[in-house]
Amino acid sequence: MRALRILLIVMAILAGIFVVIDRIAVNIAEGEAADRLKATENLATTPDVSIKGFPFLTQLAGGTLDEVEVGIEDYEAGTGDGAKKIRIADLRADLHGVDFSTDFSSAVADSATGTATIAYDDLLKTAKSEPGRVAPGITARVVGLSDGGNGKIKVEVEATVLGTKLPKPVAVLSSVAVVDGDTVRVKADAVPEFGGVQIVESSLRQITDFEQRIDGLPGGIRLDKVEAAQDGVEITVKGSDVRLVG
């Protein structure tokens, strides 16, 4: 009995040591992966990288990680318009089946899902900010975007009728959708009147409706779905064979 007790104590100590070593190893790996991702994506700040699953050392030996979570703040995404960028306030990705090299110089995930949040102020830069003619004697421009409830965006349109600016913007409820996996489209559900004047729909939609292309996301992940939220639009992203580094 004494020998068995000693054996159990030794095994418990060894198990504790293994857990400590495993956690130290995963912390080192997370830091290395974060640095590699920062350099690959030319990020201004170091991203958050969290390697899930236990034990890590057996995953390391196999060359495949079960799950890795990545978080990037203030990511500058491409727009398909040269050097013009759009800020993604918060980009989160959950990667599964990540094959990597021993020095973490390359890492490819079988699949990825996540979310991206774009603030209304950043999306507003895409809209028609300069006054445009929508009817004889009437000009209009978009001056605000906000949550319209029920997944809609409230588009505030400022109008000037015969040289007089209307006392307050006209609110237009708009639907938001993903087009072709790389574009967010905002489209008015209905065309309002300005000062009792019915506007030709096609003319007003040149002001109220707009699109924002978003490309160059890490690893080639693409847009899937989008809906309006309190602080901005929340986009679901997904991808396969997602290359993080290398």
Side-chain angles (χ1 to χ4, degrees), residues 2 5 34 37 64-65 77 80 98 136 139 143 157 171 178 205 216 229 234:
R2 184 172 181 274
R5 189 180 303 112
L37 181 58
T64 301
L65 301 176
V98 182
T139 59
V143 294
V157 181
V178 169
R205 285 194 180 279
E234 293 185 351

Side-chain angles (χ1 to χ4, degrees), residues 43-112:
L43 303 176
T45 59
T46 303
D48 294 326
V49 175
S50 179
I51 299 174
K52 303 299 182 180
F54 178 83
F56 164 71
L57 291 175
T58 58
Q59 298 182 67
L60 182 64
T64 301
L65 301 176
D66 296 335
E67 182 181 1
V68 179
E69 292 182 355
V70 176
I72 303 174
E73 302 288 341
D74 296 329
Y75 182 80
E76 296 290 329
T79 63
D81 185 16
K84 183 180 178 182
K85 302 288 185 179
I86 184 167
R87 186 180 73 93
I88 298 179
D90 187 30
L91 176 61
R92 302 282 163 180
D94 192 1
L95 311 159
H96 294 273
V98 182
D99 294 330
F100 61 93
S101 60
T102 54
D103 61 353
F104 293 97
S105 60
S106 67
V108 180
D110 286 341
S111 63

Side-chain angles (χ1 to χ4, degrees), residues 138-151:
I138 302 178
T139 59
R141 67 187 183 110
V142 175
V143 294
L145 300 176
S146 59
D147 181 16
N150 297 320

Side-chain angles (χ1 to χ4, degrees), residues 128 130-136 138-142 157 191-192 194 198-209:
K128 185 75 173 181
E130 295 297 324
R133 182 177 179 273
V134 295
I138 302 178
T139 59
R141 67 187 183 110
V142 175
V157 181
V191 175
F194 289 96
Q198 182 68 44
I199 308 298
V200 176
E201 182 172 344
S202 59
S203 297
L204 186 56
R205 285 194 180 279
Q206 294 180 16
I207 304 297
T208 60
D209 299 357

